[in-house]
Amino acid sequence: MLGNFFTAVGSLFQFLFQRKVLPQTAAVFEALAESITPLPGNPVSAGSERDKYAAAYYIYTLDHYVSLKVCFKPSTFGLANAAAKMLNMAAKQLIDSGKNEHPADSAFASAHGMFAALHTKDRCRVISLLEHLQVDLAGLPVPFYKNPGTVLAVVSILTMLGSAGHYSEWTGYGATRSGPPAARKLVQFPAGWQQVGYPGPAKGYHGLRGCLRDKFSE
Amino acid sequence: MTYDADAIIIGAGGGGPVAAKALGELGLKTLLLEAGPWYGHKKWPRPNEERGPQGDNNPANLSSELLRKCFTDNEDDMNNYVTGKFRWGHADRNRPPWFRYIPSGGFIWQSSGVGGTTLLYFANSPRAFPGAVDDLWPISYRTLLPYYEKVEATLPVVAAPMTAKEELFFFGAQKAGWPRLKTRNVTSPGYRPQPNAIFSPPPQITDLQYKFNGAETGCTLRGHCINGCSIGPTVAKTAKRSTFASYVPLALNTGAVEIRPNTFVTRILTATEKGSLVATGVSFRDTWTGHTGELNAKVVIVAAGAIETPRLWHNSHLPYNPWVGKGLTNHWFDCISGIFAEQDLMQILGMPDVKPYVGQNSAARFDYPGLGVLQGLGLSPGLFASFLYTLSDSYDFLRRPDPAVPWNFCGKVTGDKLARLMQDYPRTLSILLFTDDEVNQHNGVSFSSFLQDEHGPIPVVTYRPGHKDKQKRDKLAAIAADILKKAGAKSILRADCAPYLFAHMQSTMRMGYVVDEDCETLQVKRLYIADNSVLNNSLGGPNPTLTTQALATRTAEKLAHKYFGGV
């Protein structure tokens, strides 16, 4: 009981004051990106340059998502570390409940966390467990601890962020991606656009095929 | 008492500028206050980086060159929920967005800035279904008609042009046996070109040698409605008729309207006159400096949207009303798509793909009074992937196969399967679905008792569609799948969106419950509402902007008559 209390308090302090991105946080989001949008013909992309881009996208978004007033001052609450921990804890719960379909790589888990050690489909199973609140919420870190609303608010956007990060222009920003939004410049043709045959923005197209006659009766 | 203006309007989105133009034309001095930035304006050449002056009233300062600089066409730069230029947040994108809490998950697609969410809207401008207004609203559909006509002429609203994706949509709808609608007052199901507020393409677009330069008068079919349209020789002639390009220049032309961006209204001021509560002005906060101030006016019009309008009511401690913030409808979206084989497309269209990025984002339409609406959808790939493959609360690979359903995939798709489906992006036709969702007092906006931002308690949004809503949505999804199948699609995908996407938020300050039939609030005199929140219901499914704009036109006329003697 007392142990739980101290764990919760520790988690709260870490959430409020931990500003640095933890090593396992990057590993979790690289693994998530690999599960959602793997590089074609490359079933294991974790650790690739593209996954580093994708992880940066997740981390920036989650760390700038929530701003609240605390002691008369607006403060931004970084969610990336806590969300990564939530995914690792939920991954552990998936394994403990025997719901993973593929064995986890335990050697990989010790360095990169349990989520990244799962097979890509089992990582989606972890998201699914969280989306349906089929995890022990008391085992999650602050601000997700016993807080289904916060869990859903974050988990519901994770898959979307993965695809938006990959198929938008984000991967074309190169090193400028880590700068403020106004400083980002397209330095290369985005990988996602290339994969899907999107030529990039144009000023217009000669695509007109007429108009259905619009003679209104009134 | 001295007044800063005859009227103060809070919010320069879909409704506020419409009311401003109408009041300005009557010679009433009007202040239009907007929380976000002003794009395409010489006084704010770097609107996301510098505060600039307090406000402006000179239409000559609008600049299409600056607009083109601001609107980069890149979907993440423009529409990222956290850092995009079209987000609900401060003009300075280095600061986080203004937080809204959705305990059931999802995200709210609203934008601050002059133009509001019309900065990114598709400009679809259908009327409400008559059957969703008559005998349900305090006013009749016939009452709305002259105001619809006025807005349709002003924007203007025209029939959308066809590119390959619309031709394929109509081909499928026709093969499925649906009639073509030839009326704007829709009472039976059928398909039609989208009535939208986008200038028709210029004649030179048919000349294959013509080189586009961005300054054409009319739509160049470039597919960036959602990422911000900057096509046009001037701001006032921008192809997509967001309010920053339509009603704002018209309002400024009256010489009686001043617009102040970066001005967040935090409170409506009131006084008691002859035993009644009356609005007397507003408190505001400069979003860059944090300085606060007050402005007084004879009339206050709130046009801050379906979340911020009830929030202002709450934060101003206005009288209790059980319907303030309640009754939210949102059209519970879904998206059904078909993937086509090259040879079939060659046969139908004479080309091997449909290119979802060519043409207006949503130029074909199918209406079904009693169920809702289907409309064509074509987007740049990041947004496209998000709409089609990520908005469900379950993964396709975790579902038990069901041979009875007309789709091959349903729910979120990830991994190799997503990569393969996205390789079919150029051959995918998508249909967006809007449900005629019912008003439920449990759905709406409430306010956190302990979480606050710099503008007060943060909004908490609750939206759980009912059983009937689900039935309607499923019926519409089956119709969409049939249209795609009849058009020749080889596989059908259903996004099966959870109620996560908030893009048509409306009816949280309903006419007949919070405001009277002239949109003056029942409990505070001289306080009017002119945004989606006053809609009495979800209109049957049609996009809400045109109806809000028609009502805003009428509201301005009514309040001028009541408080300014018609001028």
Side-chain angles (χ1 to χ4, degrees), chain A residues 4-217:
Chain A
N4 281 352
F5 172 75
F6 283 119
T7 306
V9 171
S11 162
L12 174 65
F13 269 80
Q14 210 160 35
F15 171 62
L16 292 176
F17 302 113
Q18 176 60 261
R19 286 286 174 261
K20 268 179 67 178
V21 177
L22 300 170
Q24 284 203 355
T25 301
V28 163
F29 289 116
E30 283 179 33
L32 184 55
E34 184 198 19
S35 312
I36 294 168
T37 53
L39 296 171
N42 184 4
V44 182
S45 66
S48 70
E49 192 63 14
R50 197 297 308 258
D51 286 346
K52 287 190 170 55
Y53 273 55
Y57 188 80
Y58 270 116
I59 292 167
Y60 188 96
T61 304
L62 291 171
D63 277 349
H64 293 79
Y65 197 62
V66 178
S67 170
L68 298 168
K69 196 166 82 174
V70 179
C71 301
F72 308 106
K73 261 182 64 185
S75 302
T76 305
F77 292 89
L79 289 174
N81 285 332
K85 271 192 189 162
M86 171 172 71
L87 290 171
N88 276 330
M89 288 177 175
K92 188 171 178 308
Q93 290 188 28
L94 181 90
I95 292 167
D96 290 347
S97 61
K99 289 179 180 163
N100 53 315
E101 292 218 336
H102 305 268
D105 181 342
S106 49
F108 197 78
S110 58
H112 302 284
M114 195 55 87
F115 184 80
L118 288 174
H119 183 274
T120 50
K121 285 201 166 171
D122 284 332
R123 293 176 199 157
C124 291
R125 285 191 174 86
V126 171
I127 305 250
S128 191
L129 277 188
L130 287 162
E131 270 175 333
H132 296 101
L133 300 174
Q134 292 166 343
V135 290
D136 174 16
L137 299 181
L140 300 181
V142 174
F144 307 108
Y145 174 76
K146 291 188 181 176
N147 192 340
T150 313
V151 171
L152 294 177
V154 169
V155 172
S156 64
I157 62 167
L158 289 180
T159 309
M160 185 189 68
L161 289 177
S163 73
H166 181 68
Y167 291 112
S168 73
E169 82 278 10
W170 175 260
T171 57
Y173 282 140
T176 69
R177 72 184 185 277
S178 50
R184 292 174 193 155
K185 300 277 175 270
L186 277 184
V187 295
Q188 63 207 40
F189 195 77
W193 291 2
Q194 204 152 19
Q195 282 164 24
V196 304
Y198 176 58
K203 287 202 173 96
Y205 292 107
H206 298 287
L208 186 63
R209 297 172 76 96
C211 184
L212 273 194
R213 289 254 176 265
D214 191 27
K215 287 180 183 158
F216 297 112
S217 56

Side-chain angles (χ1 to χ4, degrees), chain B residues 9 11-23 25 114-128 137 139 143-158 195-198 240-250 301-303 506 511 518-519 529-535 539 542-558:
Chain B
I9 301 175
V18 178
K21 178 239 181 202
L23 296 177
E25 283 175 346
V114 174
T117 306
T118 71
L119 286 161
L120 60 97
Y121 85 148
F122 292 156
N124 296 340
S125 301
R127 299 176 181 178
W137 289 40
I139 56 174
T143 307
L144 280 171
L145 277 178
Y147 300 98
Y148 275 142
E149 285 166 3
K150 198 167 181 181
V151 177
E152 286 163 348
T154 305
L155 284 168
V157 176
V158 298
N196 70 14
I198 302 177
K240 190 181 86 168
R241 311 303 292 148
S242 302
T243 52
F244 79 83
S246 55
Y247 279 93
V248 162
L250 293 172
I301 303 170
V302 194
Q506 51 193 316
M511 184 190 284
D518 295 339
C519 293
I529 300 180
D531 57 34
N532 287 356
S533 70
V534 288
L535 305 179
L539 312 180
N543 321 53
T545 309
L546 183 82
T547 303
T548 292
Q549 293 179 328
L551 278 175
T553 306
R554 183 173 180 273
T555 298
E557 182 187 293
K558 296 290 179 188

